Amino acid sequence: MESIQIEVTKKLLEINTIKIQPDNPFTWASGWKSPIYCDNRKTLSYPDTRAYIRDAFVKLIKEKYPEAEVIAGVATGAIAIGALVADQLGLPFIYVRSKPKGHGLENLIEGDLKPFQKVVVVEDLVSTGISSLKAAEAVNNFGGDVVGMVSIFTYNFPLAKENFEKAGIELTSLSRYQILIDLSLENGDISKDQVESLMEWREDPANWGK
């Protein structure tokens, strides 16, 4: 798995999907200051990268979740890649909104999900895991059975690990924070001095820089 994670991370860096600026941090919607910004939607604009990620997901799901009957994408970032994965696997696809649609049927889940169907949830990015797990909870509440979650990238926050353990859901990512830092240092994109700050942020992102 690590060889795939290294290759995916290299591809994400090649197309500038991930930006690292420890000296000029970004501000997330949560208000957290972050030395890193990850926009995996850019992968859709690069056919080779898009296909590699799709095929890596397909291989992963076949190996870990051969019982999967439905693929669910989390809106909006994972809808496109989730649909590509479902198509390759020949499985039904649904997607989960962050909140119910404000008109019509007011759906939270779009697509047909039958009771007790086994579902693999696809995410593009996992930070604290809260929004990802809400999507999984929505699928379970709708009558499905989430057997696992896969993502393109995870920050590996201790809080996320705790949240997934509490929910009893396994997360497997194609790229992760430590590999990103190692490759960025190797490429000369960050310095050894910056690595310490970047690792401090990963351990306590809510209080970093205060």
Side-chain angles (χ1 to χ4, degrees), residues 184-203:
S184 297
L185 180 62
E186 183 181 310
N187 294 341
D189 297 327
I190 57 175
S191 67
K192 288 183 179 179
D193 291 340
Q194 289 173 320
V195 169
E196 184 177 352
S197 179
L198 287 162
M199 296 313 296
E200 287 174 355
W201 173 77
R202 193 191 74 84
E203 290 303 315

Side-chain angles (χ1 to χ4, degrees), residues 32 126-130 132-133 149 154-173 202-203 205:
W32 287 2
V126 173
S127 53
T128 63
I130 292 173
S132 306
L133 289 169
M149 186 179 297
T154 177
Y155 291 106
N156 281 135
F157 291 143
L159 177 59
K161 181 181 179 183
E162 182 182 325
N163 287 335
F164 275 92
E165 286 176 352
K166 281 182 181 176
I169 292 177
E170 182 182 33
L171 170 69
T172 307
S173 293
R202 193 191 74 84
E203 290 303 315

Side-chain angles (χ1 to χ4, degrees), residues 54-76:
R54 178 202 64 200
D55 293 346
F57 272 143
V58 167
K59 182 173 184 290
L60 175 61
I61 291 168
K62 282 182 175 179
E63 290 177 355
K64 288 184 76 79
Y65 307 109
E67 73 275 27
E69 298 172 288
V70 178
I71 302 299
V74 180
T76 58

Side-chain angles (χ1 to χ4, degrees), residues 85-138:
V85 170
D87 185 64
Q88 198 76 1
L89 288 168
L91 293 176
F93 176 73
I94 62 174
Y95 71 85
V96 189
R97 295 176 177 274
S98 58
K99 57 183 179 181
K101 188 166 60 174
H103 58 278
L105 297 176
E106 298 187 347
N107 293 339
L108 180 60
I109 293 176
E110 299 289 359
D112 287 332
L113 177 63
K114 297 178 175 61
F116 311 114
Q117 281 187 312
K118 299 189 182 303
V119 181
V120 173
V121 178
V122 177
E123 259 287 24
D124 68 320
L125 176 69
V126 173
S127 53
T128 63
I130 292 173
S131 60
S132 306
L133 289 169
K134 279 184 179 177
E137 183 181 26

